[in-house]
Amino acid sequence: MKTPLYVAGVTSKSSAELIGRARRSGYSVFGETLASSIGRSMSSVGKAERVYYITSPPIRMSAETPRQLMKSLAYDDLQVTGSDNCTFNKKQKELGLSDFTKIPNGVNGVEDRMSVVWEKGVHQGVLDPCRFVAVTSTNAAKIFNIYPQKGRIAIGSDADIVIWNPQGTRTISKDSHYHACDYNIFEGMTVHGVAEYVLVRGRVCAENGAVRVAEGHGRFIPMAVRPPYVYDIVKEKVNVPEEHPEENQNGNLAKKFAELDILIPEEKTMSALIAENLPIMTGHSPCSTPSVRGHVDGRRDMQESSFSISEELDKSGVRSCIKVKNPPGGKSSGFW
């Protein structure tokens, strides 16, 4: 029985393929990618501007990487999208112009995540709306064991609802965002897909771009250990088909990859694949995540906390559904 359990953050196609192969081999592995990784690449960013884009995991140089990551979400090699939001202003980032280790680490993402995923996924034909809901909401709720309280519309579940207009557009800009920073890594990007209303436990908290929140409305959500969505595979309650290398070339697996234009990785042992994806040791630490401590304009600095997606879900709730108005093809609107 294969018992290892992993949760990984992913910004590269090879890492996503590694996770996908491990899952098909029976390992309980889950992959997350970020709005910053699927929303842009560094290929169009001038060298003088790159200091403002320093974050972990890093935004990749290849212009093809965002689309490949989106395809990995479509194929279920990756299961979740996050933001890892940690904003700084330009002056703070420039503290590291002459010393890389002094660059504060992090970029924006949480405010634009949903629209970026819709634009790069559904609008461009890589994801369908149901998968969009899964990777932005339902899967996270299941992993953190707060489903079906979150991540679903049903009697007894919290009324966390997004009313989504897939035809609506907006242009992302530092001049209109709510982030506590003076730039936006998606600056000038026009996205399709706009949240017209956001309800948290039945109360409207955002309406047509305006935030309407009341202090004290948030509440702590306890999360029981050992979520079935994660551990049923470990306990062999879920049948995972054995992986047959020959099917990668001739069977349904190859067909699925071809439909999404995903390159089939070279056949290698799991130990070799893992070895190739281990981080390079630098200095006395297996990672290099420089940061500048302190607060920004009175706002909480997430570098000084144990902030995680679970805390983000606890405070604001998981977006649980999408209701599409005037969907493509003229079909009637409804919930996914």
Side-chain angles (χ1 to χ4, degrees):
M1 183 175 82
K2 298 183 176 71
T3 58
L5 170 64
Y6 305 95
V7 178
V10 178
T11 64
S12 68
K13 180 170 68 71
S14 60
S15 299
E17 291 170 343
L18 171 63
I19 291 173
R21 185 176 179 190
R23 285 173 60 83
R24 292 188 293 275
S25 297
Y27 287 83
S28 187
V29 187
F30 298 89
E32 173 199 47
T33 191
L34 306 179
S36 56
S37 299
I38 59 179
R40 69 160 308 117
S41 70
M42 296 295 288
S43 60
S44 60
V45 179
K47 289 185 178 180
E49 300 292 313
R50 291 178 185 174
V51 64
Y52 307 123
Y53 294 78
I54 297 299
T55 188
S56 299
I59 302 171
R60 302 297 174 173
M61 183 63 66
S62 172
E64 181 61 19
T65 298
R67 185 167 176 82
Q68 290 291 345
L69 290 173
M70 189 58 71
K71 292 172 181 176
S72 295
L73 284 167
Y75 188 61
D76 201 36
D77 284 354
L78 301 177
Q79 292 73 45
V80 181
T81 59
S83 68
D84 208 13
N85 190 88
C86 186
T87 57
F88 297 90
N89 58 40
K90 284 189 172 183
K91 186 176 181 180
Q92 290 171 314
K93 285 285 194 179
E94 290 166 359
L95 292 173
L97 283 176
S98 58
D99 185 347
F100 178 86
T101 65
K102 294 182 179 180
I103 302 174
N105 192 62
V107 294
N108 62 279
V110 66
E111 183 175 338
D112 303 311
R113 178 182 69 111
M114 298 288 281
S115 289
V116 167
V117 176
W118 185 274
E119 172 69 23
K120 300 295 184 179
V122 182
H123 186 71
Q124 295 187 11
V126 182
L127 301 181
D128 63 30
C130 293
R131 184 62 180 169
F132 171 78
V133 174
V135 301
T136 59
S137 170
T138 304
N139 288 349
K142 291 179 178 179
I143 290 171
F144 287 100
N145 212 9
I146 53 177
Y147 180 90
Q149 178 183 358
K150 302 291 186 181
R152 181 182 181 184
I153 292 182
I155 296 174
S157 298
D158 287 350
D160 296 339
I161 301 172
V162 177
I163 308 301
W164 191 258
N165 182 356
Q167 306 303 328
T169 62
R170 66 183 181 94
T171 300
I172 299 172
S173 173
K174 62 180 176 59
D175 297 324
S176 57
H177 68 200
Y178 284 89
H179 294 295
C181 60
D182 55 1
Y183 73 100
N184 191 307
I185 64 170
F186 307 117
E187 184 70 33
M189 180 188 297
T190 298
V191 291
H192 294 78
V194 175
E196 294 191 347
Y197 296 91
V198 178
L199 287 76
V200 178
R201 301 199 314 277
R203 178 170 182 167
V204 176
C205 289
E207 179 178 358
N208 295 320
V211 178
R212 297 168 47 188
V213 295
E215 186 176 354
H217 182 61
R219 68 179 184 185
F220 175 75
I221 301 174
M223 295 180 291
V225 299
R226 303 184 74 83
Y229 182 71
V230 175
Y231 283 92
D232 278 358
I233 295 177
V234 176
K235 296 176 181 178
E236 293 189 326
K237 291 183 179 180
V238 177
N239 293 323
V240 179
E242 292 294 327
E243 183 179 41
H244 300 290
E246 64 274 14
E247 290 185 5
N248 284 348
Q249 300 297 329
N250 303 314
N252 293 331
L253 184 59
K255 182 179 179 181
K256 288 284 188 182
F257 272 121
E259 290 173 354
L260 294 173
D261 192 28
I262 298 177
L263 298 177
I264 299 174
E266 178 184 353
E267 285 300 327
K268 297 179 181 179
T269 63
M270 284 300 298
S271 58
L273 283 168
I274 292 172
E276 289 176 1
N277 283 271
L278 287 176
I280 299 175
M281 302 292 284
T282 57
H284 301 289
S285 172
C287 63
S288 295
T289 308
S291 64
V292 172
R293 303 295 181 182
H295 293 270
V296 183
D297 299 328
R299 294 169 175 81
R300 182 182 178 189
D301 178 8
M302 294 309 178
Q303 295 280 346
E304 284 283 12
S305 75
S306 58
F307 180 80
S308 66
I309 189 172
S310 60
E311 183 174 349
E312 183 178 355
L313 296 178
D314 290 345
K315 288 185 175 180
S316 63
V318 183
R319 294 178 177 88
S320 60
C321 80
I322 303 299
K323 183 177 183 181
V324 175
K325 300 198 324 181
N326 302 320
K331 297 180 181 179
S332 59
S333 62
F335 288 106
W336 278 282

